[in-house]
Amino acid sequence: MNRETVLTEALDLLDEVGLDAVSTRRLARRLGVEQPSLYYHFRNKKELLGAMSEAAMAPHATAPLPTPADDWRDWFLENTRSFRRTLLLRRDGARLHAGSSPGGTDLDRIAHKMAFLAAAGLPEEHARTAMLAAGRFTVGSVLEEQADTDPGGGRDHRAAGQPGLPPDVPPMDHESSFEAGLALILEGLEQQVRRAG
């Protein structure tokens, strides 16, 4: 059993039972080992969850970085959409990611993205704030979307007539709501660029 196997099984367990039910005891049972043997790879559950979050973010963390030929607006939108898609790949993906801190190559990638935005004419402070706002908006949007989904059937509770909501409240279209909020963030950033220019 190696670290990669443990992480793969831990992420599969997450998808099956959700974040609240993931435990080192349950993971050890799934792997057919004693719980203390997991501590060879991860000192505690917090370290395991951090590694799970990093592994779960791999599709976004390995996406192509922007090039000078890219339009910063198109890149900003696609970068944020990629983040959302990656969070949605895993059950409770947003909860797993929330509160994590970038490290290692993530910091290099962030520096590259910030340099790209600065070269496109965005003031550094506004670029940093926009990236942070878009990231937090995305995590919050996905938290709501994943909380609104029935784990058994993948149905939207509101569309299924969730008790407590008036009958005239339309079902939530999470993707459209996300796109509308993202457009507002981009519009605000474009205004800052025009003011700076």
Side-chain angles (χ1 to χ4, degrees):
M1 177 178 73
N2 60 31
R3 184 182 171 92
E4 196 68 32
T5 301
V6 175
L7 276 176
T8 299
E9 289 298 321
L11 289 169
D12 289 346
L13 179 62
L14 171 71
D15 288 339
E16 288 173 21
V17 302
L19 187 59
D20 291 335
V22 170
S23 68
T24 53
R25 177 174 293 140
R26 199 169 198 165
L27 178 58
R29 195 172 343 136
R30 181 184 181 94
L31 289 163
V33 299
E34 295 296 320
Q35 189 176 355
S37 65
L38 293 178
Y39 299 131
Y40 175 77
H41 302 287
F42 304 99
R43 290 177 295 188
N44 51 45
K45 184 178 177 182
K46 182 178 179 180
E47 191 175 294
L48 171 65
L49 291 175
M52 289 170 63
S53 175
E54 185 178 335
M57 291 306 300
H60 181 67
T62 57
L65 288 167
T67 67
D70 291 331
D71 178 84
W72 72 265
R73 296 162 202 81
D74 293 338
W75 173 82
F76 184 82
L77 292 171
E78 180 49 35
N79 182 67
T80 309
R81 289 172 182 144
S82 166
F83 183 39
R84 177 179 181 265
R85 284 191 303 269
T86 300
L87 291 174
L88 286 168
L89 287 174
R90 295 286 177 182
R91 181 174 174 181
D92 295 332
R95 285 184 59 211
L96 178 66
H97 177 76
S100 63
S101 298
T105 59
D106 290 337
L107 294 173
D108 294 337
R109 291 179 61 82
I110 291 168
H112 181 96
K113 292 174 182 183
M114 294 302 297
F116 166 75
L117 291 172
L122 279 74
E124 184 179 341
E125 181 182 334
H126 296 312
R128 185 174 45 251
T129 300
M131 291 291 288
L132 184 62
R136 289 183 174 175
F137 166 71
T138 303
V139 171
S141 294
V142 174
L143 278 169
E144 290 294 332
E145 185 169 354
Q146 291 181 324
D148 206 23
T149 301
D150 175 75
R155 293 183 346 188
D156 186 325
H157 288 300
R158 294 172 196 226
Q162 181 178 2
L165 288 179
D168 61 337
V169 173
M172 174 66 72
D173 179 348
H174 293 288
E175 187 166 0
S176 294
S177 296
F178 172 79
E179 288 294 330
L182 181 57
L184 287 173
I185 294 170
L186 179 61
E187 184 180 319
L189 189 53
E190 288 174 322
Q191 287 178 11
Q192 294 299 325
V193 171
R194 282 194 293 273
R195 285 185 196 144

